[in-house]
Amino acid sequence: MSRMQNVVIDSVKTVLGWVPERWLPGGTPDPLIMRRGAVGRQVSRLDGPIKVGGQARFAAEVAMENMCYASLLHSPITRGRMRHLDTSAAEAAPGVILVMTHRNMPRLDIIPLVSVTNLGAVGASALPIMQDTEIRYNGQVVALVLAETQEQADHAASLIQIDYETAGARTHFEAAKATARTPASVLIEKNHTVVGNAEYELAQSPFQVDNIYRTPGHNHNAIELHAVTVAWDGDTLEVHDASQMISGSAAALAKLFGLKKEQVRVLSPFVGGGFGGKGMWDHQVVAVAAARIAGRPVRLVLSRDGVYRIVGGRTPTEQRVALAADAGGNLTALIHTGHSVMPPYSACPEQYTLTGRALYRSKSYAFVQHHLDLDIVPNTYMRAPGESVGTFALESAIDELAHEMGIDPIELRLRNEPETHPLSGTPFSQRALVQAYREGAERFGWARRQATPGTQRDGEWLIGMGCATGSFPYARMPGASASIRLTREGRAIVSCSAQDMGMGTSTVQIQHAADRLGLPMEAIVFEMGDSALPTTPMAGGSSQTVSIAAAIAAAAEKLSGELLRLAGNSSPLAGLRAGEVRMIDQKLVSIEDPSRTESFQQILARASRDEISVSAAGSAPLEMLKFAMHSLSANFCEVRVSEVTGEVRVSRMLGSFDCGAILNPKTATSQFKGGMIMGIGLALTEETLFDERSGRIMNATLADYHIPSHLDVPDIDVMWTGVPDPRSPLGARGIGEIGITGVAAAIANAVFNATGRRVRDLPITLDKLL
Amino acid sequence: MAIRINGNEVAIPDDPRVSLADLLREQLHLTGTKIGCNQGACGACTVLIDGERVLSCLTLAVQADGRAVTTIEGLSSEGSPHPLQSAFIEHDGFQCGYCTPGQICAAAAMLRGVADGMPSYVTADLGERAILSPEEVRERMSGNLCRCGAHNGIVEAILQVAKEDVA
């Protein structure tokens, strides 16, 4: 996050600007974009039968001989130190094997934080783990108890006596502004960015809005609790984790415990929801340490309360958005600034100003984010970090400006649609937001909306419609690799350490591999979820599908080359190179002369080979620096607001997406809807209640933190342009996070349309409408 | 003292603190039953006791003495899946699959409750047998949380099975 980083990235972008497109990855579109077989089909997720049957084994469900159970004790104070610690009663309790505190915890280094400049890193916290008596945030792990059963461990943990000496803690958002930090960069973007004189334009323009928007903290609340089952065998370590970052976790644990990478194996074939929360936190580390001391396998499952205490969530934000326009509805100023909490020991800058940098043409711009340093559990990435809450502010403001000007809010957006990236002038790889809006508005029946708020009613219920744009940047991570083993029987085993927290990773990559390798889907086995397999980056930033696709494409290209080499001079393919053939119908076929062909089986049989194996890494993702690439959406929603109670019901929602090619309509629909439903929670119910007096989270339960339930979720309609992105593998962009973006604004805008009340402070609870 | 679990007699655990969920998961390795909160807020641990849905994390194993427990593993019969299991796949009624066994067990008991004439909070006419509208399904399934957002698929799957039952 340094000035140096800004310089380096700017230089690379500048150089890439001079490089011809065809020299870069994505310079020529992926041939599979035009040649669809399994990709694009409605395929039910292939792990469905074992999931509905209860046979899918999650991290806490791996059985081991001689296993014992861990229970954690969390600090009830926010800052201070343990003055006196008495573990004797716990140690004497029935079944207890070990009580671990800072006294007997091995001395360990800090885990490097997840970062754009250190892509292998996985740390979510840069604080020491159980190394000293100091308490740095409320809920910090202070002790671990191992016992023969969970019941014994939980009881013994309750017997540990700690006398705390409290110290002053920083827990007030407002007070922390006095010492706010302004980082040089936000992820790979320069933080403080100014074009023209936005404040001047704001003052001079005939129309302007200038308001403060607030969003509270949020927790991921994956239904699966964070859990590990850990076993040491001599100096090798096996960790069954619920992880979105398998390879990186294995590397981090190896470094932390002084092992070689191959001595650590992290397995995570099924993850019960992640949303950014299933990373490397303190619980894996203390479980591994305790298992080593005890010399026995250990299972540690966090309590739900424990997840809130030691796994951070989305940070609260306070954002200013000011917009101005001339009489023709052309934006003259776009200002997006604000404060969010990010202590120096956390990794996520909650990049809420990124959306405004890429969405609208404007005469002037000003962006800057300030970080507040509070004594809290380190905040982290949660579904569409930045964009989810940033679009709430920006897209509410657009609606407010449209109302001020008496223009339809869609029309205002379309008038300010940029031709190229509005700040850098970089060309878009593909952008069909206008089409998404036109088609979405038609299907939703936007024309029936009454522009004057508060004019539609059904008994006590006021009815309104709203819309908002969603946006999420494309990312493909460097360093993804995959291996392919092709057998003489015509089967292919495709392997990489990929993660699946429910996105349908294996289903979609099997579809992809079938087309890439010219095999039926039934002939593909996809191995994943294991750090012993070729390394792939974390599942984050909606980047995994294209990252793995590029690795499989590279491996397939290498496989073609190997097959051609084996085919030799007596083959009809003799003399051809890898780039000159395709794999179709279990054969290699010359692109130029399709009559020159030979089956995989013939080639392998003639070479007396049972199988052939290759592995390769995907190309460097330079397309994301050469082009402006974003998944986009037009969100529409209808709400009913009770005039009596202030209750808001979302009665209809439509998401119209522009995310490149859709690889599996069935699983993609679920990803889109899943994001939109989390957006309903963001808009109406979700809030991590933080007690600024004590520094403690007050609603650390699923009963008190309200995620949408069945009754909160209407039938949701989704559609997409489906226009392939010519610069990305398979023509696809990310679909995992875009769904939540824009939804909170669409709902807030609909509430305004229904009631005339503008709520700029999420969640929109009943009290704010009475 | 014994519990009949998926047709097999199982002894009551010695430690009276053991919940039914922990008995299933840790002692019997029937890990299809999930734990998401351990306090009755999420529904992931839903199993059937004598055909009724119960939160197994809030049920002590001893409380199930002499009763018949059916878990997700016992819902399919002789290798062929329960219609709800197939319908959940068909309608993509899950993503990560963690809340799924609880959703399916809850739905199975809920459909039986509807068939027995049990009304819900949204049933308009308590004198008449409830018609299983999408709204009825949502109300009756709201004790089962899903964070991936598979709600639409879950409701569609349940309605499809309900329709086939009637047909």
Side-chain angles (χ1 to χ4, degrees):
Chain A
M1 312 280 179
S2 64
R3 282 183 177 76
M4 180 58 87
Q5 180 196 319
N6 291 340
V7 171
V8 169
I9 288 171
D10 282 351
S11 310
V12 173
K13 284 183 173 174
T14 305
V15 170
L16 285 174
W18 304 329
V19 175
E21 286 168 23
R22 64 193 156 77
W23 290 7
L24 293 176
T28 47
D30 186 341
L32 283 195
I33 291 173
M34 302 307 293
R35 188 158 55 89
R36 285 285 155 90
V39 170
R41 269 175 41 205
Q42 294 263 13
V43 178
S44 291
R45 57 188 77 234
L46 299 170
D47 53 9
I50 58 170
K51 282 181 174 173
V52 301
Q55 278 97 33
R57 284 279 173 278
F58 292 83
E61 299 169 355
V62 178
M64 286 188 180
E65 285 293 315
N66 203 28
M67 195 178 70
C68 54
Y69 292 82
S71 186
L72 299 182
L73 189 66
H74 301 273
S75 164
I77 71 157
T78 299
R79 285 245 28 159
R81 65 180 193 91
M82 291 183 273
R83 190 160 45 196
H84 181 71
L85 168 67
D86 182 358
T87 57
S88 55
E91 278 155 8
V96 170
I97 298 158
L98 171 73
V99 177
M100 191 173 81
T101 65
H102 68 279
R103 290 174 183 158
N104 51 349
M105 172 82 174
R107 295 283 80 90
L108 299 174
D109 282 342
I110 301 290
I111 306 172
L113 285 174
V114 171
S115 139
V116 290
T117 50
N118 184 4
L119 285 160
V122 294
S125 166
L127 291 177
I129 302 169
M130 221 189 262
Q131 298 291 304
D132 52 34
T133 59
E134 192 175 341
I135 305 301
R136 296 170 176 88
Y137 64 86
N138 198 304
Q140 174 183 321
V141 178
V142 291
L144 174 149
V145 177
L146 280 189
E148 298 295 339
T149 70
Q150 189 68 59
E151 291 79 10
Q152 290 169 335
D154 291 345
H155 174 63
S158 75
L159 301 176
I160 295 173
Q161 298 286 327
I162 302 176
D163 178 18
Y164 292 96
E165 180 182 299
T166 59
R170 293 161 298 178
T171 53
H172 292 266
F173 190 101
E174 201 58 42
K177 285 180 183 172
T179 52
R181 289 174 292 112
T182 307
S185 60
V186 174
L187 300 183
I188 62 167
E189 303 283 336
K190 185 165 170 268
N191 180 18
H192 192 190
T193 301
V194 172
V195 176
N197 188 340
E199 295 292 351
Y200 173 81
E201 298 292 344
L202 183 68
Q204 295 298 310
S205 297
F207 298 99
Q208 68 275 114
V209 290
D210 187 352
N211 290 294
I212 301 291
Y213 301 83
R214 291 184 178 84
T215 64
H218 297 120
N219 278 74
H220 311 83
N221 282 316
I223 304 294
E224 180 199 27
L225 297 160
H226 291 61
V228 274
T229 305
V230 174
W232 285 90
D233 179 5
D235 271 340
T236 64
L237 172 64
E238 184 172 297
V239 179
H240 298 266
D241 195 4
S243 176
Q244 302 181 221
M245 35 191 80
I246 293 169
S247 288
S249 294
L253 287 171
K255 189 155 183 292
L256 206 58
F257 288 91
L259 305 169
K260 297 193 187 86
K261 202 191 163 198
E262 55 275 16
Q263 289 174 299
V264 180
R265 187 173 178 195
V266 173
L267 297 108
S268 189
F270 298 99
V271 183
F275 317 113
K278 292 272 172 69
M280 183 67 129
W281 296 90
D282 294 6
H283 64 285
Q284 292 106 325
V285 176
V286 293
V288 168
R292 178 161 239 184
I293 295 173
R296 288 177 62 172
V298 166
R299 176 165 298 160
L300 170 57
V301 182
L302 295 189
S303 64
R304 179 56 64 182
D305 177 272
V307 177
Y308 280 85
R309 300 286 169 229
I310 67 165
V311 176
R314 194 196 305 287
T315 204
T317 72
E318 184 183 281
Q319 307 171 46
R320 174 191 175 211
V321 177
L323 301 174
D326 64 18
N330 302 298
L331 290 182
T332 51
L334 195 168
I335 300 170
H336 197 164
T337 63
H339 293 84
S340 65
V341 181
M342 184 195 178
Y345 49 80
S346 70
C348 174
E350 199 67 39
Q351 55 274 25
Y352 52 84
T353 64
L354 293 201
T355 305
R357 299 165 190 240
L359 207 49
Y360 296 112
R361 197 181 55 232
S362 175
K363 190 176 173 190
S364 66
Y365 300 89
F367 303 99
V368 67
Q369 298 193 198
H370 306 290
H371 291 161
L372 306 182
D373 185 8
L374 299 186
D375 296 311
I376 54 159
V377 57
N379 67 294
T380 196
Y381 298 89
M382 178 168 157
R383 202 172 202 165
E387 265 81 1
S388 53
V389 289
T391 51
F392 164 66
L394 178 63
E395 289 296 292
S396 291
I398 288 279
D399 197 72
E400 296 189 53
L401 181 63
H403 181 73
E404 189 75 23
M405 300 185 73
I407 303 181
D408 182 276
I410 297 179
E411 179 57 31
L412 178 62
R413 289 179 173 93
L414 300 189
R415 279 188 205 175
N416 292 285
E417 176 71 6
E419 294 290 318
T420 58
H421 188 282
L423 292 187
S424 66
T426 308
F428 292 119
S429 57
Q430 176 269 326
R431 183 175 168 111
L433 181 61
V434 174
Q435 183 188 341
Y437 259 111
R438 294 242 154 88
E439 293 174 356
E442 171 75 24
R443 185 136 128 196
F444 190 73
W446 181 256
R448 296 199 300 274
R449 171 181 176 267
Q450 301 293 321
T452 310
T455 51
Q456 288 271 78
R457 105 177 15 248
D458 173 14
E460 74 173 75
W461 296 93
L462 295 165
I463 302 168
M465 285 190 202
C467 70
T469 302
S471 169
F472 198 79
Y474 168 90
R476 183 161 72 84
M477 298 230 189
S481 53
S483 68
I484 302 173
R485 185 153 58 89
L486 178 70
T487 72
R488 206 199 287 190
E489 296 75 42
R491 288 163 60 78
I493 297 92
V494 179
S495 310
C496 61
S497 70
Q499 295 86 185
D500 190 347
M501 305 91 73
M503 307 87 80
T505 308
S506 54
T507 306
V508 166
Q509 294 299 344
I510 285 173
Q511 291 175 269
H512 166 223
D515 286 359
R516 189 74 68 185
L517 301 175
L519 295 171
M521 278 177 61
E522 302 71 45
I524 312 283
V525 174
F526 187 68
E527 296 180 325
M528 52 162 278
D530 182 346
S531 67
L533 300 172
T535 299
T536 56
M538 70 174 78
S542 297
S543 66
Q544 185 176 243
T545 300
V546 289
S547 301
I548 298 173
I552 293 176
E557 173 108 355
K558 201 163 166 186
L559 182 65
S560 290
E562 286 292 303
L563 283 167
L564 286 169
R565 197 178 57 76
L566 284 183
N569 291 332
S570 54
S571 166
L573 300 165
L576 291 174
R577 284 176 308 186
E580 297 166 344
V581 293
R582 281 181 188 156
M583 300 163 117
I584 300 172
D585 292 337
Q586 303 166 61
K587 294 190 283 279
L588 273 188
V589 182
S590 160
I591 296 169
E592 194 145 293
D593 176 7
S595 70
R596 294 177 69 186
T597 177
E598 191 166 27
S599 75
F600 305 151
Q601 193 189 2
Q602 283 169 322
I603 295 170
L604 287 171
R606 183 147 32 78
S608 303
R609 293 282 292 269
D610 290 333
E611 59 178 51
I612 178 172
S613 291
V614 294
S615 61
S619 56
L622 298 177
E623 72 273 22
M624 49 191 281
L625 297 176
K626 173 93 178 168
F627 298 97
M629 301 175 76
H630 292 80
S631 286
L632 293 162
S633 66
N635 291 284
F636 297 85
C637 110
E638 180 190 82
V639 299
R640 297 163 66 87
V641 183
S642 167
E643 216 174 15
V644 179
T645 65
E647 181 182 1
V648 180
R649 309 298 303 171
V650 176
S651 45
R652 289 200 300 134
M653 273 223 288
L654 165 74
S656 179
F657 293 90
D658 181 44
C659 305
I662 296 301
L663 308 180
N664 179 340
K666 194 172 208 169
T667 51
T669 296
S670 291
Q671 279 287 78
F672 289 139
K673 287 187 179 181
M676 292 170 76
I677 291 165
M678 209 176 268
I680 295 176
L682 168 67
L684 298 179
T685 58
E686 293 190 32
E687 179 171 18
T688 304
L689 294 163
F690 181 74
D691 187 340
E692 288 208 329
R693 298 164 304 176
S694 67
R696 190 164 174 85
I697 292 169
M698 297 183 283
N699 60 337
T701 77
L702 284 178
D704 299 308
Y705 181 109
H706 299 143
I707 70 171
S709 75
H710 279 289
L711 210 50
D712 298 317
V713 180
D715 274 332
I716 294 171
D717 198 3
V718 296
M719 59 194 293
W720 46 79
T721 64
V723 181
D725 191 314
R727 309 299 173 187
S728 72
L730 294 169
R733 289 196 298 267
I735 62 168
E737 293 171 275
I738 179 73
I740 190 175
T741 67
V743 173
I747 292 174
N749 296 342
V751 167
F752 175 76
N753 184 242
T755 64
R757 303 281 289 274
R758 174 64 63 179
V759 180
R760 302 187 185 93
D761 177 15
L762 293 183
I764 306 171
T765 44
L766 288 64
D767 51 302
K768 293 172 189 168
L769 291 168
L770 286 178
Chain B
M1 290 175 77
I3 313 172
R4 201 164 177 78
I5 297 176
N6 299 334
N8 302 314
E9 293 287 323
V10 173
I12 300 284
D14 295 334
D15 189 336
R17 296 173 296 186
V18 175
S19 71
L20 179 58
D22 283 336
L23 171 70
L24 294 168
R25 288 171 59 83
E26 301 301 335
Q27 299 185 24
L28 306 176
H29 305 298
L30 290 170
T31 54
T33 300
K34 306 302 183 191
I35 293 176
C37 68
N38 236 343
Q39 57 163 198
C42 77
C45 65
T46 305
V47 298
L48 309 181
I49 297 187
D50 295 338
E52 289 189 8
R53 50 179 158 169
V54 164
L55 297 171
S56 64
C57 78
L58 291 188
T59 306
L60 292 171
V62 293
Q63 291 176 281
D65 180 30
R67 321 264 309 258
V69 174
T70 306
T71 69
I72 190 72
E73 291 93 343
L75 211 58
S76 52
S77 58
E78 285 154 23
S80 68
H82 188 281
L84 280 166
Q85 291 173 318
S86 306
F88 266 61
I89 296 174
E90 172 61 26
H91 292 276
D92 215 27
F94 58 93
Q95 292 201 71
C96 77
Y98 197 81
C99 74
T100 315
Q103 301 271 1
I104 292 175
C105 286
M110 182 273 283
L111 288 175
R112 193 172 130 170
V114 173
D116 291 347
M118 191 184 295
S120 83
Y121 177 72
V122 299
T123 308
D125 186 345
L126 299 182
E128 296 290 314
R129 199 179 133 165
I131 296 159
L132 203 60
S133 62
E135 197 69 357
E136 280 276 1
V137 173
R138 290 189 182 115
E139 162 63 22
R140 290 165 191 259
M141 290 298 293
S142 279
N144 288 80
L145 298 179
C146 166
R147 189 53 158 167
C148 295
H151 305 78
N152 283 182
I154 292 168
V155 172
E156 285 162 17
I158 294 169
L159 284 168
Q160 183 203 304
V161 171
K163 206 162 90 186
E164 285 165 2
D165 277 356
V166 173

